Amino acid sequence: MSYQQLTAQSVLSYLQQQPEMTEFFTDFNQLEVREIGDGNLNFVYRIKDLSSNKSVILKQAVPYVRCIGESYPLSRHRMDFEIAALLNAKHHCPEHVPEIYHYSKDQSLVVMQDLGELAILRGEIIKGKVFPLFAEHISSYMANTLFRSSDLFLSSEDKKAQVKQFVNVSLCKLTEDFVFTNAYMDHETNEYNTALAQSAIDRVQKDPAVKIAVAQMRYKFMNNAQALLHGDLHIGSIMAGPEHTYVIDPEFAFYGPMGFDVGAVIGNLYMSYFSHAYESAISGEQSVAYRQWLLETIQAIWHSFASKFKTQWLAHEAQKQDGYWRFAGAEQALSQYIDGFINELFADTIGFAACKMMRRVLGLAKVADFADIPDLEQRAAIETNIIEHATQMIVNRHNYDSIEQLNLQATRILP
Amino acid sequence: MSYQQLTAQSVLSYLQQQPEMTEFFTDFNQLEVREIGDGNLNFVYRIKDLSSNKSVILKQAVPYVRCIGESYPLSRHRMDFEIAALLNAKHHCPEHVPEIYHYSKDQSLVVMQDLGELAILRGEIIKGKVFPLFAEHISSYMANTLFRSSDLFLSSEDKKAQVKQFVNVSLCKLTEDFVFTNAYMDHETNEYNTALAQSAIDRVQKDPAVKIAVAQMRYKFMNNAQALLHGDLHIGSIMAGPEHTYVIDPEFAFYGPMGFDVGAVIGNLYMSYFSHAYESAISGEQSVAYRQWLLETIQAIWHSFASKFKTQWLAHEAQKQDGYWRFAGAEQALSQYIDGFINELFADTIGFAACKMMRRVLGLAKVADFADIPDLEQRAAIETNIIEHATQMIVNRHNYDSIEQLNLQATRILP
């Protein structure tokens, strides 16, 4: 069937033709379809059985950027990447990826578990909500998806087939432009808070050390096909509740450097940290405690991730027993090799986190944590702190001994 | 036409059906076909017009490794990579790549310029012949093919399309196994000179620092899609005369780290250096002078390559004028960025060169420079020196300030 853009009206007749869906929904006369507005790029519908309360989410890509319109074309085949990445992540980390009930590459759509009882993590963090299991969950998600899509786990043949499948030209180009290029120069797509001092903008756009470091991270992004990344793992791509965490929206998936995903999470949490200094749903004592929770979460994410990554690696090598690591002292050597690998991944994480932060302040797409603050002076103070932290991070990314040192730097900027 | 393995008999009727070839050869009755034996993997024929003396080389891949036989299957589609890589290299560096007259992916064959007046460089170096233009030529070849296939030159879209086209599973697997794995452990495919001391073998196979470093280079080989490499650029893939240098046989072509090609050339020249200590066509005073020429060649290759690479990069940036490198001090910053890039490429070059050396001593495929020496004790002394140089190189690859320092190390091992 050739591609057809569904409407709230045609969704039901489409679903009725899919065997998986007629099995899921017993009575199609009881179904309600509602378009839900939170898709920037795509159309998203909730389909609910009013008698049983069972429901699903249908997400369809259109051949343009939905929130801008048909004037900004973007291949609907981005959904091919999203589908393949969802299936892959579901395979390696079922606890933190929604169920996939049905998908169609022809129609550029996927039907998946309704996570309606959960909320987008960014909104919850803005409200000051604490998620005690988040660090544990997201570190598992990253350790599993990154390790198990890499050469450290897959056969050389399987890995290369995956790299080829996930060459994601148009969405990588968006990242190359918006995360690694435009924000660091005078560019028409940039948007600056009018209260932000020129000196803060120049700190990002005219400091030789920052410019060199950003160019290095951009090059690394484009040339290090380490693992199948989510590719856009900010806290708006995560749905969280007290007991569950799910990662959604992997249309930017491609084979890239592992630190890009880890850095996305950590960079976004640092932005939340600085944003909670001023305007927020919580204030005073509570704000300090909440910021403390954010830093502890960053710390826990890194330590849990690194430890789970290493544990998987060691277990895999023990099971492989291929003779390369068989000599007097091999056990210690392997451990040292892994630690060196993780240290480099740590430097990458810091560098990518910094890019994610700087571009949100100066580039096109902001984050609500600070962009929704109506007092522009207050917002500018937050943005300046983010720039300060991020520029130090990227320039010194190889010199931090620990995540605690990075947190310490944040508390020096904002006690 | 479905694939057919040609024979000396059927070559002519095949060529007669190709318009490019009926244009090249005017009289098919005057043609002589001779199979020439130097193909390890493939069949190679010389087709010569006896009246005009015009000639071409036809190379056809068979679905197995020719020198072993049908018991060792290897997809004939390796010729697809060879053809595409030849065309690409010819485009970027016409002076050092043979003319391509005709090719067919269906038949896994290519018809190209007969370089009969030139000889394989390895054989000439074993004989002690000097090639004053070699460093100049090979550095141009590498600077052009590597820079112009990278993200530093191509658009993001074109580069990614190339990466996808050049996912070369089976030939990369050969390199991963034979250059980066088997030689460094107890493996059935290894072949040791019986006169080589166990301590020399252990230096490669049981030293934790060497094992970690080799694992790092292997990982880099598999994960850094920087540029379209030749992939097997040893001095047996180079044809040279006093005035010309041509690079042939790029069936291992894939997107990998630039240092792998540069390291292949340099590592092979170091093996020639150590091999000329003893048994050789030249001896005494002359041998010292020849070894000196080899070291000067290594030095010139690196300096010319680095300088040409940087010049091209600067010229390309000047022509792009994209605004990223436009701020007070940008020129100096860009230069510093490029120097940092080249420094990392230098460390990669040294690390890959070392792997190329170690595997030739302990692994399956030897090089004639030392493997053809009948006195096994003399040969073992050379192999021990190669291992000494290579193990120091790979462990200290980040610590050399210059190629001169590396040459100095070689002369300390063999004055």
Side-chain angles (χ1 to χ4, degrees):
Chain A
M1 199 167 78
S2 68
Y3 175 77
Q4 281 186 304
Q5 192 177 322
L6 295 177
T7 62
Q9 285 69 48
S10 58
V11 158
L12 278 192
S13 63
Y14 175 81
L15 290 182
Q16 215 155 2
Q17 291 161 44
Q18 313 310 325
E20 306 94 321
M21 299 320 299
T22 52
E23 213 167 280
F24 188 92
F25 288 123
T26 42
D27 186 356
F28 270 71
N29 293 319
Q30 294 295 318
L31 296 191
E32 175 200 71
V33 179
R34 190 169 290 184
E35 198 204 323
I36 51 179
D38 50 355
N40 276 328
L41 299 180
N42 310 293
F43 280 86
V44 182
Y45 300 93
R46 171 173 286 129
I47 300 102
K48 190 175 197 167
D49 182 330
L50 295 174
S51 58
S52 71
N53 259 339
K54 278 176 86 173
S55 60
V56 299
I57 296 293
L58 182 151
K59 181 174 176 182
Q60 184 178 39
V62 289
Y64 51 87
V65 173
R66 188 239 164 123
C67 64
I68 304 180
E70 304 194 20
S71 64
Y72 200 110
L74 187 67
S75 165
R76 66 180 171 82
H77 294 292
R78 61 184 182 269
M79 183 53 79
D80 297 359
F81 295 100
E82 176 155 357
I83 292 167
L86 276 171
L87 294 173
N88 186 77
K90 186 75 194 167
H91 179 66
H92 290 310
C93 192
E95 318 84 281
H96 303 301
V97 179
E99 293 287 342
I100 313 300
Y101 303 124
H102 165 79
Y103 63 87
S104 162
K105 292 192 178 182
D106 288 344
Q107 300 303 318
S108 299
L109 67 77
V110 60
V111 180
M112 57 188 162
Q113 183 180 357
D114 183 5
L115 304 168
E117 75 285 9
L118 308 181
I120 294 285
L121 182 59
R122 185 180 308 283
E124 301 297 282
I125 282 182
I126 291 173
K127 288 183 209 149
K129 282 185 87 169
V130 161
F131 294 85
L133 296 177
F134 172 61
E136 176 63 20
H137 290 169
I138 198 69
S139 59
S140 292
Y141 173 86
M142 295 191 297
N144 288 358
T145 57
L146 298 179
F147 181 79
R148 294 182 193 179
S149 61
S150 77
D151 279 310
L152 309 173
F153 180 77
L154 294 178
S155 74
S156 166
E157 294 84 342
D158 289 348
K159 154 75 166 7
K160 286 184 180 64
Q162 290 250 70
V163 168
K164 197 168 173 174
Q165 181 191 357
F166 282 98
V167 170
N168 192 350
V169 175
S170 47
L171 278 82
C172 279
K173 184 74 168 74
L174 284 180
T175 304
E176 289 155 21
D177 288 348
F178 289 99
V179 179
F180 294 108
T181 309
N182 301 352
Y184 311 91
M185 59 195 263
D186 182 26
H187 197 278
E188 57 186 8
T189 60
N190 289 343
E191 283 178 8
Y192 311 139
N193 170 2
T194 51
L196 188 63
Q198 186 61 41
S199 60
I201 300 172
D202 290 350
R203 182 96 169 82
V204 170
Q205 295 184 348
K206 299 188 172 172
D207 182 313
V210 173
K211 297 294 290 257
I212 290 172
V214 171
Q216 288 167 336
M217 297 319 297
R218 181 175 191 268
Y219 187 81
K220 200 153 203 174
F221 176 83
M222 297 172 82
N223 285 279
N224 269 47
Q226 288 191 308
L228 181 56
L229 308 187
H230 178 281
D232 192 28
L233 195 51
H234 61 86
I235 55 179
S237 298
I238 297 169
M239 300 201 64
E243 282 163 27
H244 297 286
T245 308
Y246 288 90
V247 175
I248 58 172
D249 293 350
E251 61 249 83
F252 282 82
F254 79 110
Y255 262 80
M258 298 176 180
F260 189 73
D261 270 3
V262 189
V265 174
I266 285 177
N268 273 272
L269 292 176
Y270 277 127
M271 287 194 280
S272 304
Y273 171 81
F274 289 109
S275 298
H276 267 294
Y278 301 89
E279 191 81 19
S280 80
I282 52 176
S283 58
E285 283 295 305
Q286 252 182 308
S287 165
V288 174
Y290 191 67
R291 287 196 279 108
Q292 185 56 32
W293 176 76
L294 286 169
L295 293 185
E296 282 163 9
T297 299
I298 289 170
Q299 194 179 333
I301 288 172
W302 174 257
H303 287 302
S304 301
F305 167 75
S307 143
K308 287 169 187 170
F309 194 90
K310 183 169 182 175
T311 302
Q312 287 203 44
W313 191 338
L314 286 171
H316 185 66
E317 289 292 340
Q319 173 251 312
K320 254 193 353 192
Q321 291 204 317
D322 72 353
Y324 185 91
W325 298 107
R326 199 181 301 148
F327 55 94
E331 206 173 318
Q332 207 189 335
L334 174 60
S335 180
Q336 199 183 327
Y337 172 49
I338 297 175
D339 291 345
F341 185 99
I342 291 175
N343 282 344
E344 214 180 302
L345 177 45
F346 186 51
D348 285 359
T349 294
I350 296 170
F352 287 124
C355 293
K356 291 276 192 180
M357 294 163 72
M358 292 185 280
R359 77 97 166 205
R360 293 293 188 183
V361 175
L362 300 182
L364 180 64
K366 308 293 181 195
V367 290
D369 305 65
F370 60 78
D372 283 358
I373 295 174
D375 181 328
L376 295 187
E377 296 292 339
Q378 282 200 357
R379 176 180 153 184
I382 293 167
E383 292 172 327
T384 305
N385 282 344
I386 291 173
I387 286 176
E388 182 58 33
H389 193 45
T391 50
Q392 287 190 39
M393 280 166 73
I394 197 164
V395 171
N396 301 316
R397 66 191 185 281
H398 296 291
N399 307 329
Y400 296 96
D401 290 334
S402 65
I403 191 76
E404 286 74 16
Q405 227 186 347
L406 203 61
N407 277 348
L408 188 65
Q409 177 180 298
T411 60
R412 281 196 184 124
I413 294 167
L414 172 69
Chain B
M1 199 168 78
S2 69
Y3 174 78
Q4 281 186 303
Q5 191 178 321
L6 295 178
T7 62
Q9 285 70 48
S10 58
V11 159
L12 277 192
S13 62
Y14 175 81
L15 290 183
Q16 216 155 0
Q17 291 162 45
Q18 313 310 324
E20 307 94 320
M21 298 322 298
T22 51
E23 213 166 282
F24 187 92
F25 289 123
T26 43
D27 185 357
F28 270 71
N29 293 320
Q30 295 295 319
L31 296 191
E32 175 200 72
V33 179
R34 192 170 289 184
E35 199 204 323
I36 51 180
D38 50 355
N40 276 329
L41 299 180
N42 310 293
F43 280 86
V44 182
Y45 300 93
R46 171 173 286 130
I47 301 103
K48 190 175 199 168
D49 182 330
L50 295 175
S51 58
S52 71
N53 258 340
K54 279 177 84 172
S55 60
V56 299
I57 296 293
L58 182 150
K59 181 173 174 184
Q60 185 179 38
V62 288
Y64 51 86
V65 174
R66 187 239 165 125
C67 65
I68 304 180
E70 303 194 22
S71 63
Y72 201 110
L74 187 65
S75 166
R76 66 179 172 84
H77 294 292
R78 61 185 182 268
M79 184 52 79
D80 298 359
F81 295 100
E82 176 156 357
I83 292 167
L86 276 171
L87 294 172
N88 185 78
K90 186 74 192 167
H91 179 66
H92 290 311
C93 193
E95 319 85 279
H96 303 301
V97 179
E99 293 288 342
I100 312 300
Y101 303 123
H102 166 80
Y103 61 87
S104 163
K105 291 192 179 182
D106 288 346
Q107 300 303 321
S108 298
L109 67 79
V110 61
V111 180
M112 57 188 160
Q113 184 180 356
D114 182 4
L115 302 169
E117 76 285 9
L118 309 181
I120 293 287
L121 182 58
R122 185 181 308 283
E124 300 299 281
I125 282 182
I126 291 174
K127 289 184 209 148
K129 282 186 87 169
V130 162
F131 294 85
L133 296 177
F134 172 61
E136 177 62 19
H137 290 169
I138 198 70
S139 60
S140 292
Y141 173 86
M142 294 191 298
N144 289 359
T145 56
L146 299 179
F147 181 78
R148 294 182 193 180
S149 61
S150 77
D151 279 311
L152 308 172
F153 180 78
L154 295 177
S155 75
S156 165
E157 293 83 343
D158 290 348
K159 154 74 166 7
K160 286 183 180 64
Q162 290 250 69
V163 169
K164 198 168 172 173
Q165 182 191 353
F166 283 99
V167 169
N168 191 350
V169 175
S170 47
L171 276 81
C172 280
K173 184 74 168 71
L174 284 181
T175 304
E176 290 155 19
D177 289 347
F178 288 99
V179 179
F180 294 108
T181 309
N182 300 352
Y184 311 91
M185 59 195 262
D186 181 27
H187 197 278
E188 56 186 7
T189 61
N190 289 342
E191 283 179 8
Y192 311 138
N193 171 0
T194 50
L196 187 64
Q198 186 62 40
S199 60
I201 300 171
D202 289 351
R203 182 97 168 82
V204 170
Q205 296 184 347
K206 298 190 172 171
D207 182 314
V210 173
K211 298 294 291 256
I212 290 172
V214 171
Q216 287 167 337
M217 297 318 298
R218 180 176 192 268
Y219 187 80
K220 200 153 205 174
F221 175 83
M222 297 173 83
N223 285 280
N224 269 46
Q226 289 191 310
L228 181 56
L229 308 187
H230 178 282
D232 192 26
L233 195 50
H234 62 86
I235 53 178
S237 298
I238 296 170
M239 299 199 65
E243 281 162 27
H244 297 287
T245 308
Y246 288 90
V247 174
I248 58 172
D249 293 349
E251 60 249 84
F252 282 82
F254 78 110
Y255 262 79
M258 298 176 180
F260 189 72
D261 270 3
V262 190
V265 174
I266 286 179
N268 273 273
L269 292 176
Y270 277 128
M271 286 194 281
S272 303
Y273 170 81
F274 289 109
S275 298
H276 266 293
Y278 299 90
E279 191 83 21
S280 81
I282 51 177
S283 59
E285 283 295 303
Q286 250 182 308
S287 164
V288 173
Y290 191 67
R291 286 194 280 110
Q292 185 57 32
W293 176 74
L294 286 169
L295 293 186
E296 282 163 10
T297 299
I298 289 170
Q299 195 178 333
I301 288 172
W302 174 257
H303 286 301
S304 301
F305 167 75
S307 147
K308 287 169 187 171
F309 194 90
K310 184 170 182 174
T311 303
Q312 288 203 44
W313 191 338
L314 286 171
H316 184 66
E317 288 293 338
Q319 174 252 314
K320 255 193 352 194
Q321 292 205 316
D322 73 352
Y324 185 91
W325 297 106
R326 200 180 302 148
F327 56 93
E331 206 174 317
Q332 206 189 336
L334 174 59
S335 179
Q336 198 183 326
Y337 172 49
I338 297 175
D339 291 345
F341 186 98
I342 291 176
N343 282 344
E344 214 179 302
L345 177 43
F346 186 53
D348 285 0
T349 295
I350 297 171
F352 287 125
C355 293
K356 292 277 194 178
M357 294 162 73
M358 291 185 282
R359 77 96 166 205
R360 292 293 187 181
V361 176
L362 300 182
L364 179 64
K366 307 295 179 193
V367 289
D369 304 64
F370 60 78
D372 283 357
I373 294 174
D375 181 328
L376 295 186
E377 295 292 339
Q378 283 201 357
R379 176 179 156 185
I382 293 167
E383 292 172 328
T384 305
N385 282 345
I386 291 173
I387 286 176
E388 182 58 33
H389 193 45
T391 50
Q392 287 190 39
M393 281 166 72
I394 198 164
V395 171
N396 301 315
R397 65 193 185 280
H398 296 291
N399 306 330
Y400 296 96
D401 290 333
S402 65
I403 190 78
E404 286 74 17
Q405 226 184 350
L406 204 60
N407 277 347
L408 187 65
Q409 178 180 299
T411 58
R412 281 197 184 125
I413 294 168
L414 173 69

